Amino acid sequence: QHRGICMPEDCERYKRELAEMLSWADGVQVRLHENYVSWNGDHGDHALKTDLCRKYLFPLTLEVMARPEFKGKYLGAYLEEAYINHFNGPVLGQHGTETLRTFLDEAMLQSPDVFVGFEWNEANENTSFQPTLSGAGTTARIISYYKAKINHEPLKPRPGDDVSVPNLILSTRQTMRLGENFHVELLYVPDGVATDPFQARVVMRDISGKALVQFPWEGLPT
């Protein structure tokens, strides 16, 4: 790669090596593999949507897999949620649902046969797709939305949802250090219930309930 441009010789080498692998493997798993570091005190890297993947890696992969000799081979898309272990630094950080949504957005460009979810939780890294203490099913809500979009299914609430409450996800960091920026992600996941735009706001309170910061009202489309 040179300034976001893949050299022709590198493109040809990638196609040769991929074809060689597909000659004996049942398929290939393609992973979004670029990120950028937040230098403002945020924890960990952000997943990054890049031209390298969209212009080169994904199209070249699909070009090779479309060859007649590779008919029936599987294309897998790797999904990642993010590390939230505050003892680990050079990893994808806990930025709300950004990492999972970025990986899903990019994976959908490939029309993969299989989505490969990361499921490994060693040393309190919490990298796997697993239930949370709050039981909100955040990951399940996001995956359900993408599943419906991919399969052209109607959007619907999760089982047991109170449909009188908008399907909002509020994400904040679990661990903070003095001097770090505090980020809040307010995400609306369409569930086929709300038809009119609505407003929401985030209020930060202390342990006694006193409002410390009141963010402006946000108009959210449905």
Side-chain angles (χ1 to χ4, degrees):
Q1 182 190 16
H2 177 67
R3 295 182 179 177
I5 300 175
C6 186
M7 297 293 102
E9 58 270 22
D10 292 327
C11 294
E12 292 303 316
R13 180 166 60 90
Y14 173 71
K15 290 194 292 185
R16 287 196 306 270
E17 293 179 357
L18 176 59
E20 180 184 354
M21 189 200 73
L22 287 173
S23 67
W24 55 264
D26 291 328
V28 61
Q29 175 178 308
V30 182
R31 179 184 188 274
L32 174 72
H33 197 71
E34 292 201 285
N35 50 56
Y36 66 94
V37 179
S38 294
W39 298 106
N40 62 358
D42 226 339
H43 171 74
D45 298 354
H46 289 258
L48 182 62
K49 302 177 181 181
T50 67
D51 284 344
L52 181 63
C53 288
R54 292 188 167 194
K55 289 185 177 180
Y56 302 104
L57 179 60
F58 297 161
L60 291 174
T61 301
L62 295 175
E63 177 187 335
V64 173
M65 296 198 70
R67 297 177 184 175
E69 63 266 33
F70 300 137
K71 183 178 180 180
K73 301 287 184 175
Y74 284 95
L75 174 61
Y78 183 93
L79 299 182
E80 190 165 314
E81 196 166 21
Y83 284 76
I84 58 174
N85 178 10
H86 58 282
F87 296 112
N88 230 336
V91 294
L92 288 170
Q94 183 189 12
H95 308 289
T97 65
E98 175 191 72
T99 300
L100 176 59
R101 290 185 293 105
T102 298
F103 272 79
L104 280 163
D105 286 342
E106 298 305 283
M108 288 179 66
L109 299 176
Q110 308 170 62
S111 298
D113 302 298
V114 180
F115 286 90
V116 184
F118 199 73
E119 191 173 3
W120 172 44
N121 188 14
E122 183 180 352
N124 194 35
E125 287 176 337
N126 293 330
T127 54
S128 58
F129 297 104
Q130 58 188 11
T132 58
L133 293 178
S134 62
T138 295
T139 300
R141 293 178 189 279
I142 293 173
I143 291 178
S144 293
Y145 169 77
Y146 279 90
K147 177 178 178 290
K149 299 293 285 185
I150 292 169
N151 294 330
H152 304 286
E153 299 170 348
L155 299 173
K156 58 183 179 182
R158 297 283 299 165
D161 278 359
D162 181 353
V163 295
S164 66
V165 179
N167 195 20
L168 287 168
I169 294 173
L170 179 69
S171 302
T172 62
R173 289 265 301 279
Q174 288 189 344
T175 303
M176 295 291 297
R177 293 185 178 91
L178 185 63
E180 290 184 329
N181 292 333
F182 183 70
H183 293 272
V184 175
E185 180 195 63
L186 184 64
L187 177 71
Y188 171 67
V189 182
D191 59 359
V193 175
T195 56
D196 299 321
F198 62 91
Q199 289 191 318
R201 73 184 309 182
V202 176
V203 179
M204 185 185 300
R205 303 180 185 275
D206 63 16
I207 196 170
S208 68
K210 178 184 176 182
L212 300 176
V213 179
Q214 298 188 45
F215 291 89
W217 286 96
E218 299 276 354
L220 298 176
T222 59

